[in-house]
Amino acid sequence: MYSKNILLTNDDGIDGEGLLELEKKLSEVCNVYVLAPSSNRSAVSSQLTMHYPLKIEKRGDNRFACFGSPVDCVITALRSDLFGVRFDAVFSGINKGANLGTDIIYSGTAAAARQAVLYKIPGIAVSLESFDGIWKYSALADFCAKNLEKLISLCTDELFVSLNACSSDKYKEAVISPLCIRDYRDMVSIIKAPDDKLYSFFKGGNIQSKGVDGCDAYISESGRIAISRIYAEPVCAAYDTEPLSFQF
């Protein structure tokens, strides 16, 4: 047994190739416990299940599938005796697709890492992008395993960590990066069906990223690993020093 216990989850589902590769690499340096959604739960953000029980299936030694969201998985693992251990960190991923900048609002992958920090446990989200349809997870998973202690140290009681990289056999550098802003350029079509009911169909657009040269999108697209430290709690804007007068 190793000294550290790591909970592994994702939002692509327990059979996701990225999770399996990260599980394999992390298992070489720590004790890995898997509780991940039973199927794809992408873009569910911090959705959690409160009003009905969740089905949990055993999928192997210290491996379980949860019929809920990534946040459900983290809450169940950290607030129950399912595994009977104290966790030193939560890893979420490796996600199939980037979670850059604005993506973090919607990402189930990032939400799992955020939930860990809300429970005062280090949370690390890991995401990979591919521009040619070839998904190479091994090098990024290997980076996480080799730098386990450093990645955990970047978390605090307030901050979780998000890693982004493009699919590659190797990386030349990892850089602490600010977040970009994403313009999704998406649309919704409203269709009236033969049953006279209206249905909406979401259409993804050509995503545009903007930000400074050192932002997460710029770093990852340049062949490096972007590491961003993100507040788990909402951060309020500074209060105006002048009192406001409201009408009632």
Side-chain angles (χ1 to χ4, degrees):
M1 295 288 285
Y2 297 100
S3 61
K4 284 203 166 16
N5 298 319
I6 302 299
L7 173 66
L8 178 58
T9 191
N10 70 350
D11 72 2
D12 290 331
I14 193 166
D15 297 317
E17 186 179 354
L19 180 142
L20 295 176
E21 189 64 30
L22 186 55
E23 180 182 8
K24 181 175 73 174
K25 294 292 186 179
L26 287 178
S27 294
E28 297 174 1
V29 297
C30 60
N31 307 311
V32 178
Y33 300 81
V34 178
L35 180 57
S38 56
S39 60
N40 191 292
R41 299 289 196 280
S42 295
V44 297
S45 189
S46 289
Q47 175 184 313
L48 72 159
T49 304
M50 299 174 61
H51 303 297
Y52 58 87
L54 285 168
K55 181 180 178 181
I56 296 176
E57 287 184 347
K58 188 174 178 61
R59 295 288 184 88
D61 291 340
N62 295 323
R63 297 187 94 252
F64 292 88
C66 172
F67 285 67
S69 69
V71 163
D72 286 328
C73 293
V74 173
I75 292 174
T76 299
L78 299 186
R79 286 291 193 261
S80 77
D81 59 358
L82 179 66
F83 293 110
V85 300
R86 178 190 177 281
F87 287 104
D88 296 289
V90 173
F91 272 76
S92 181
I94 298 171
N95 189 65
K96 187 176 185 180
N99 280 305
L100 300 163
T102 316
D103 297 342
I104 291 168
I105 297 171
Y106 308 103
S107 166
T109 302
R114 180 189 298 114
Q115 186 64 43
V117 169
L118 292 176
Y119 283 171
K120 308 306 180 186
I121 301 292
I124 297 100
V126 190
S127 305
L128 187 82
E129 185 59 276
S130 172
F131 296 107
D132 59 7
I134 299 173
W135 299 87
K136 300 177 180 180
Y137 297 98
S138 182
L140 187 56
D142 192 51
F143 173 85
C144 291
K146 288 179 177 177
N147 295 279
L148 177 67
E149 299 279 0
K150 289 182 180 179
L151 293 174
I152 290 175
S153 74
L154 291 173
C155 300
T156 70
D157 286 349
E158 297 180 311
L159 303 173
F160 70 94
V161 168
S162 177
L163 275 68
N164 276 277
C166 290
S167 179
S168 178
D169 291 316
K170 61 181 181 180
Y171 300 99
K172 57 187 179 182
E173 189 180 15
V175 181
I176 304 296
S177 311
L179 301 177
C180 68
I181 297 174
R182 304 270 263 176
D183 180 357
Y184 298 103
R185 302 190 177 188
D186 39 47
M187 298 177 64
V188 173
S189 294
I190 304 295
I191 304 295
K192 187 174 184 179
D195 61 5
D196 279 341
K197 295 182 180 179
L198 296 177
Y199 295 85
S200 68
F201 294 84
F202 178 84
K203 295 181 178 180
N206 179 25
I207 300 175
Q208 302 292 313
S209 301
K210 62 180 180 179
V212 298
D213 285 349
C215 70
D216 54 356
Y218 175 86
I219 294 298
S220 62
E221 290 173 8
S222 69
R224 295 172 286 176
I225 299 172
I227 303 176
S228 302
R229 304 174 75 210
I230 303 156
Y231 282 100
E233 294 280 4
V235 177
C236 188
Y239 290 103
D240 196 326
T241 56
E242 294 296 326
L244 296 176
S245 177
F246 295 99
Q247 294 183 356
F248 296 94

